[in-house]
Amino acid sequence: MNSTLLNHESQSLQISANQPVIAIHQLNHYFGEGQLKKQVLYDINLEISAGEIVIMTGPSGSGKTTLLTLIGGLRSAQIGSLKIIGKELCGASQEQLVQARRKTGYIFQAHNLHRSLTALQNVQMGLELHRKVSRTEMRDRATKMLELVGLEKRINYYPDDLSGGQKQRVAIARALVSQPQIVLADEPTAALDSKSGREVVNLMQKLAKEQSCTILLVTHDNRILDIADRIVDMEDGKLTSDS
């Protein structure tokens, strides 16, 4: 799983041990313009250290996914401060957002696999932003990740031929194949039964710990709260507790 390129990138992005990997201060965010402008995040303050597993809970529409997408560089933060591994993303350019996405692995609620691609090809997409990684290395790394998530016999299967739990394992492999410093997961167990959901989060926890990365996981699933080092609650666009 080692890569000279990615290890070099990782070393260049290291921050001091006492500096949080995710540092959010007085973050506010709006959707829409003019009379349709609506505030969705209010004065968010949150710091997450390297290696922590943090679960964010709260009712639907409370702003959890919006905050996750801002942290992941999927959209630009507007007002306040949002630093990822020491880099400010508030008001970031598209290139700066791309750089942020190279540091994170993102697991979507509905796994977001491409139906026309095999499991192997879907996982290889997790390396597309790392342009200097060769196609051969992409294939090798993706194959090894699928082996680690127990899908070595399914690498050439298409998503429609996989179970829900297997699809989510492919999504986890895709998120972790680039050895990110941060893993963001949006309701990763929402479409899974209890057994598959537990297997998925245990796998995330195991692989993330092995790769020394930080996890921020959004969920409504009270059955998986025990994997967290901390639990933060969000309601109406505000963080209401941090325990």
Side-chain angles (χ1 to χ4, degrees), residues 66-183:
T66 298
L67 181 56
L68 210 64
T69 59
L70 293 174
I71 294 171
L74 299 183
R75 54 164 58 100
S76 181
Q78 297 167 341
I79 300 172
S81 178
L82 170 57
K83 291 183 179 179
I84 304 301
I85 315 178
K87 300 295 184 181
E88 180 63 66
L89 294 190
C90 211
S93 66
Q94 283 302 313
E95 178 58 31
Q96 288 169 323
L97 293 179
V98 169
Q99 292 292 334
R101 291 197 289 271
R102 288 179 177 149
K103 305 170 191 175
T104 62
Y106 208 107
I107 302 171
F108 298 90
Q109 178 175 340
H111 54 71
N112 279 22
L113 301 181
H114 289 264
R115 296 177 65 185
S116 63
L117 301 180
T118 65
L120 181 65
Q121 291 168 332
N122 268 287
V123 176
Q124 285 179 210
M125 290 192 68
L127 291 167
E128 290 291 340
L129 288 176
H130 301 271
R131 299 169 187 167
K132 295 183 180 179
V133 179
S134 70
R135 287 290 167 182
T136 299
E137 184 175 357
M138 281 186 181
R139 182 180 179 85
D140 289 345
R141 291 173 62 84
T143 299
K144 290 176 182 178
M145 274 306 310
L146 285 167
E147 290 172 356
L148 286 174
V149 301
L151 292 178
E152 63 274 8
K153 296 181 180 179
R154 300 286 191 275
I155 64 172
N156 293 317
Y157 280 47
Y158 289 91
D160 287 349
D161 298 319
L162 299 173
S163 69
Q166 289 170 339
K167 290 176 186 176
Q168 202 63 301
R169 284 170 179 259
V170 175
I172 291 171
R174 180 180 59 191
L176 292 176
V177 70
S178 65
Q179 296 180 308
Q181 291 173 268
I182 300 169
V183 172

Side-chain angles (χ1 to χ4, degrees), residues 3-24:
S3 163
T4 301
L5 170 67
L6 292 177
N7 285 342
H8 175 74
E9 288 181 351
S10 178
Q11 290 168 5
S12 70
L13 295 169
Q14 292 299 318
I15 55 177
S16 62
N18 60 356
Q19 187 176 355
V21 173
I22 298 172
I24 305 171

Side-chain angles (χ1 to χ4, degrees), residues 53-57 225-226 228-233 241-243:
I53 297 178
V54 177
I55 285 182
M56 184 180 298
T57 65
L225 299 183
D226 59 295
D229 298 313
R230 288 162 56 201
I231 298 174
V232 297
D233 299 314
S241 69
D242 185 343
S243 59

